[in-house]
Amino acid sequence: MSSSIETSFVTQLQEHQNLIHKICRLYTNNEDAHKDLFQEITIQLWKAYPQFRGDAKFTTWAYRVALNTAITLYRKKTRTVDTIEFDSKLHRVNQEEYNYEEEEHIKLLYQAVQQLNDIEKALVFMYLEDKDYNEIAETLGISEVNARVKMNRIKGKLKKILNP
């Protein structure tokens, strides 16, 4: 690949790595698993980047790749994946440390979201990221109406979990 593609990828990754951290937080329960999933998502984004045409925003595309990677990896429950070499020192990617000291109500929300299925988790995540239903639907491959209906049902589930 050309160095301009590599530079573009590294810039985009650096700029939007917090969304990947948030997805990792949803699908993992400890720091090691978080780091493993972050690395796997980064690898999958890198592998898919040459096919990124820019039809959608980078973040929409990255959400789709990251969520699909997280869901696939944790459904299979395997940690053995083919990886490719990516030298972060060469590209000067400075990984920001993710702050695990969240306020107590955020922890409770994450615990409640952990009880949802994989698709529900993805929908809640995008909703909390202030994505509109059109973008949620496009990313998850469902209709906008279906996204709205699912979100309303999820809100009810979360209320029951948080207020038993």
Side-chain angles (χ1 to χ4, degrees):
M1 275 187 228
S2 73
S3 65
S4 65
I5 291 175
E6 291 173 13
T7 302
S8 174
F9 173 76
V10 170
T11 301
Q12 293 280 17
L13 180 63
Q14 187 78 38
E15 204 172 301
H16 301 290
Q17 68 178 300
N18 281 339
L19 78 88
I20 299 168
H21 281 299
K22 290 175 185 176
I23 290 170
C24 292
R25 174 87 187 254
L26 274 179
Y27 289 92
T28 61
N29 291 321
N30 64 58
E31 191 172 349
D32 287 339
H34 179 111
K35 287 179 179 177
D36 288 347
L37 182 56
F38 184 90
Q39 180 179 13
E40 183 57 29
I41 289 171
T42 301
I43 290 166
Q44 295 307 320
L45 286 168
W46 172 243
K47 286 170 134 177
Y49 194 69
Q51 285 77 44
F52 175 62
R53 297 182 310 270
D55 296 341
K57 293 188 287 187
F58 177 83
T59 52
T60 301
W61 173 80
Y63 277 125
R64 178 172 275 181
V65 172
L67 288 168
N68 285 336
T69 301
I71 290 168
T72 301
L73 192 64
Y74 284 92
R75 277 193 181 155
K76 289 180 180 177
K77 299 290 185 205
T78 60
R79 293 295 178 99
T80 55
V81 291
D82 293 332
T83 61
I84 58 172
E85 193 65 34
F86 181 82
D87 187 355
S88 64
K89 290 181 179 98
L90 176 66
H91 299 289
R92 295 181 180 87
V93 173
N94 298 319
Q95 181 176 345
E96 299 170 7
E97 287 300 316
Y98 191 75
N99 182 0
Y100 287 95
E101 297 180 14
E102 299 283 339
E103 294 178 23
E104 190 59 33
H105 67 277
I106 298 294
K107 287 181 184 178
L108 292 173
L109 179 62
Y110 272 102
Q111 288 172 354
V113 170
Q114 288 289 339
Q115 297 177 41
L116 301 175
N117 71 40
D118 292 338
I119 299 301
E120 291 170 336
K121 285 179 189 177
L123 211 151
V124 167
F125 171 72
M126 295 189 74
Y127 180 82
L128 292 174
E129 288 289 302
D130 291 326
K131 301 301 174 192
D132 61 39
Y133 284 108
N134 185 40
E135 188 171 353
I136 292 170
E138 180 184 331
T139 301
L140 297 179
I142 60 177
S143 72
E144 188 173 337
V145 171
N146 194 352
R148 289 178 188 277
V149 169
K150 283 182 180 288
M151 192 63 227
N152 283 330
R153 289 181 183 156
I154 293 167
K155 286 177 185 177
K157 274 186 179 181
L158 289 174
K159 283 179 187 175
K160 285 181 183 174
I161 293 168
L162 292 169
N163 302 309

